[in-house]
Amino acid sequence: MSKTYQNIKGTFDILPEASTSDGTNVAGSASWQFVEAAIRDVMALYNVEEIRTPIFEETELIARGVGQLTDIVSKEMFAFERGDTNYVLRPEITAPVMRAYLQHHLDQRGGVQKLFYVGPCFRAERPQKGRYRQFHQFGCEVIGTDDARADVEVIAMMLAVYEKLHISRTELRINTLGDAPSRAKHKEALKTYFESYRNDLTETSRKRLDTNPLRILDTKEESERTLLVDAPRLIDFIDDESRRDFDEVKSLLADLGISYREDHFLVRGLDYYTRTAFELESPDLGAQSALAGGGRYDLLAQELGSKHPVPAVGFAAGMERLFLALQAHGVPFPEAQGIDVFMVALGDEAVRWTFNQSQQLRRDGFRVGLDLKGRSMKAQMREANRQRAPFAVIVGNDELGSGVAQLKDMVTGAQSEIAVSNLSDTIRTLKAAEASVD
Ligand code: HAM
């Protein structure tokens, strides 16, 4: 028996129409194009340029960038070896963008570099609703400034995407993670605090206690969450400059009328952050509630070999979660754009003429459908309907001889005769009439 192949669990195919994969609704490709166009529109408003980096990188770049002890690097990498190099399918795009910035000396373009991306990422997490092994991120990195306005602009452009798509139920949480020494002091204090509860901790948290106690603050375990209430708060260890910077971020957010909740327990799952960190959540997403997240990462460039500090801030958002939020808000997905005309042919001569004529119409800029299977007239008309053609041009051998064809209005069913000699003009007139009714 021959084997039939399936997409890998935790991945999905994006088909022309919406579909279901492992119980998850996957929007059709027209919806993806629509959302991507909205993202591009917003990025253009903020004067952000696109960057595209390869989907695989050297493992060392990601390990150094994201952090060796993070879940992403220690458990979730799709890594492979070839020759004597280790590669990884990118789990995120910030470290690759910083690599590209440093490699191509983008600072020499002058000013601040504002770069956005849309593309697939890979994490070997346990698949569930809103969590996939191949998912798609869009995001922006603003590189070369430590000005608090950059932090706020990043947050504003992130929110603008959701606003444009009419996703209103979101909550922005922000925190400051301070500088490196303040975080080290906090880490020590956390270690001492959780050490006294070692026996009450889950195995995962016990491991984190030894490696990175900050990550315990991420726990979803109810019993552990009660311990968080009295845990040392990073905010009490924050250096004065970071504190002033955070005040500035909050005051700029207030100026722009952006509401937020300060959450001193907000830590991110990636190690490169300093100072501002934020997450955008949706109550509509269930367990995987994070729509987007980001923050400042002033030390990453040096971690990746830069001799000079390169301050930067950015966000990234999950496309699939954005679709889940769209669905929860009842925002209708656009349908694929239909064709302008469907060419129906009867008889060998007409089939040939129609095939050539369709090519000419396309050169003239019309979207044309036609039968490529030699089907009956009835089947061709059905196909015209399926492709949502507003008009069908019906051509037979006899009609060709007399220079006329039938034009059928697929909505009203009305039929009329048209000349075959200037089809483009006829279709252009029909389209214009249709547009003026819309
Ligand atoms: P992150 O929080 O790891 O941050 O991911 C950003 C977003 O990607 C999440 O909020 C979520 O919507 C989506 N996401 C993450 N993992 C999955 C998954 N397995 N399935 C579906 N969606 C997922 C970053 O990646 C940072 N690079 C963000 C950043 C940019 N920080 C500064 N600049």
Side-chain angles (χ1 to χ4, degrees), residues 72 91-94 117 123 125 130-133 135 137 140-141 268 270 272-273 279 290-295 297 313-318 320-321:
I72 296 177
E92 60 103 51
I93 311 185
T94 307
Y117 47 81
R123 296 185 191 176
E125 298 192 80
R131 191 163 75 188
Y132 311 99
R133 295 190 147 193
F135 59 100
Q137 279 191 350
C140 166
E141 312 297 344
R268 305 267 302 124
L270 305 97
Y272 48 57
Y273 294 108
E279 271 186 14
L291 280 172
Y297 49 95
V313 58
F315 83 91
E320 291 76 8
R321 295 185 191 178

Side-chain angles (χ1 to χ4, degrees), residues 254-286:
D255 280 358
L256 298 192
I258 294 174
S259 46
Y260 60 85
R261 184 160 68 81
E262 227 174 299
D263 177 358
H264 295 308
F265 290 114
L266 177 93
V267 285
R268 305 267 302 124
L270 305 97
D271 279 353
Y272 48 57
Y273 294 108
T274 46
R275 296 194 176 172
T276 312
F278 56 86
E279 271 186 14
L280 188 70
E281 284 197 327
S282 160
D284 299 314
L285 296 188

Side-chain angles (χ1 to χ4, degrees), residues 49-53 94-117 141-144 297 306 310:
E49 297 171 286
E50 185 174 9
I51 183 165
R52 301 185 191 196
T53 63
T94 307
V97 168
M98 184 53 94
R99 179 210 34 80
Y101 174 92
L102 296 172
Q103 179 183 338
H104 303 288
H105 306 288
L106 293 186
D107 58 320
Q108 288 175 5
R109 300 175 76 213
V112 171
Q113 302 304 310
K114 303 207 282 188
L115 304 165
F116 82 92
Y117 47 81
E141 312 297 344
V142 174
I143 306 180
Y297 49 95
S306 169
V310 182

Side-chain angles (χ1 to χ4, degrees), residues 140-188:
C140 166
E141 312 297 344
V142 174
I143 306 180
T145 173
D146 64 358
D147 196 305
R149 281 176 303 168
D151 305 38
V152 174
E153 195 172 272
V154 159
I155 292 174
M157 71 174 83
M158 169 183 82
L159 294 173
V161 172
Y162 296 92
E163 263 166 41
K164 190 174 172 73
L165 294 167
H166 307 289
I167 297 172
S168 52
R169 288 191 295 272
T170 58
E171 189 195 33
L172 174 67
R173 290 182 300 124
I174 60 169
N175 193 15
T176 179
L177 304 181
D179 63 4
S182 52
R183 275 211 310 289
K185 275 187 247 154
H186 176 236
K187 196 168 158 180
E188 269 319 300

Side-chain angles (χ1 to χ4, degrees), residues 386-398:
R386 196 187 70 79
Q387 296 193 20
R388 290 182 288 112
F391 302 102
V393 171
I394 305 160
V395 191
N397 288 350
D398 297 346

